[in-house]
Amino acid sequence: MRREDYMRRAISLAADNVKEKSGGPFGAIIVKDGTIIGSGVNTVTSDNDPTAHAEVNAIREACSKLGSFDLQGCTLYTSCEPCPMCLSAAYWAKVDRIFFAADKVDAKEAGFSDAFIYEEIPLPYSERSLHTERLLGEEGKEPFELWSGSDDKIPY
Ligand SMILES: [Zn+2]
C-alpha cells in the first residue's frame, strides 16, 4: 500500500466513526513494515474518556499487539493534525514519522480547537487558566531517588 492508501484508511475510520456515532470525527492507524498493527478512532464520548483520541487509541493497540511500549520503526497516519496530547504520545511512543490529512485550522472550523493548549504551555504557572501550583517539591523527589537507585528498572 502507498502512503495515500494508509491515509485514506485513517480518513475512512474517521468518517465511519461519525456515522456510527461512537465519537469525534477522527481516525488513525499505525503501520510497521507495511502492515497495519494498530488502528483507532475517537471514543471520548462513548468511553467517557477524554484521553481516548484516535491517535492514543491506535498507539495503545499497536503497543499491545507488539508487546512493547516502543514504536520505533512505525508510522502514524492520522486523519487530522495531532492535538498536543496526541503529538506528545507520538513522541513518547517514538514513532518514526507522522502523516496527517486535515490540519488544525480544519479542526477548528469544525469546533475542535486545541490552540488554547498550545498557548497555555509556555505560560508561567500563575498565568495559566488551569490552576497549577507546586506542592511538596522536596518530597516529590523521593520517587526519582528510588528510580535512580534501582538496578532492575526498565528505562524508556
Ligand atoms: Zn489528540
Side-chain angles (χ1 to χ4, degrees):
M1 283 172 70
R2 298 175 306 135
R3 299 186 312 185
E4 290 78 4
D5 296 321
Y6 292 124
M7 185 59 81
R8 288 195 181 99
R9 176 76 185 129
I11 294 169
S12 173
L13 285 171
D16 289 347
N17 201 44
V18 175
K19 294 170 193 164
E20 292 164 12
K21 304 189 187 310
S22 300
F26 303 96
I29 61 170
I30 305 280
V31 176
K32 182 171 189 177
D33 300 328
T35 301
I36 297 173
I37 60 166
S39 65
V41 293
N42 180 295
T43 55
V44 169
T45 54
S46 55
D47 284 344
N48 290 318
D49 181 352
T51 70
H53 288 194
E55 299 95 320
V56 168
N57 284 339
I59 287 169
R60 286 176 177 156
E61 187 174 290
C63 287
S64 178
K65 184 159 189 174
L66 291 180
S68 172
F69 49 78
D70 188 330
L71 295 182
Q72 288 182 63
C74 297
T75 301
L76 168 63
Y77 292 86
T78 177
S79 65
C80 184
E81 186 173 358
C83 75
M85 175 180 71
C86 293
L87 182 61
S88 299
Y91 275 101
W92 284 119
K94 301 186 177 83
V95 299
D96 283 8
R97 59 190 70 81
I98 298 170
F99 293 107
F100 65 88
D103 68 8
K104 54 188 166 195
V105 176
D106 301 319
K108 184 176 182 180
E109 288 173 1
F112 297 97
S113 177
D114 51 22
F116 75 99
I117 300 175
Y118 283 108
E119 292 165 4
E120 288 267 309
I121 291 171
L123 291 177
Y125 304 135
S126 62
E127 293 177 26
R128 292 183 184 170
S129 63
L130 176 62
H131 181 96
T132 304
E133 180 182 345
R134 190 167 192 195
L135 187 64
L136 296 179
E138 285 305 310
E139 290 179 40
K141 294 177 185 176
E142 289 174 15
F144 292 122
E145 291 162 7
L146 285 170
W147 174 263
S148 296
S150 172
D151 293 330
D152 55 357
K153 58 180 173 278
I154 303 171
Y156 61 95

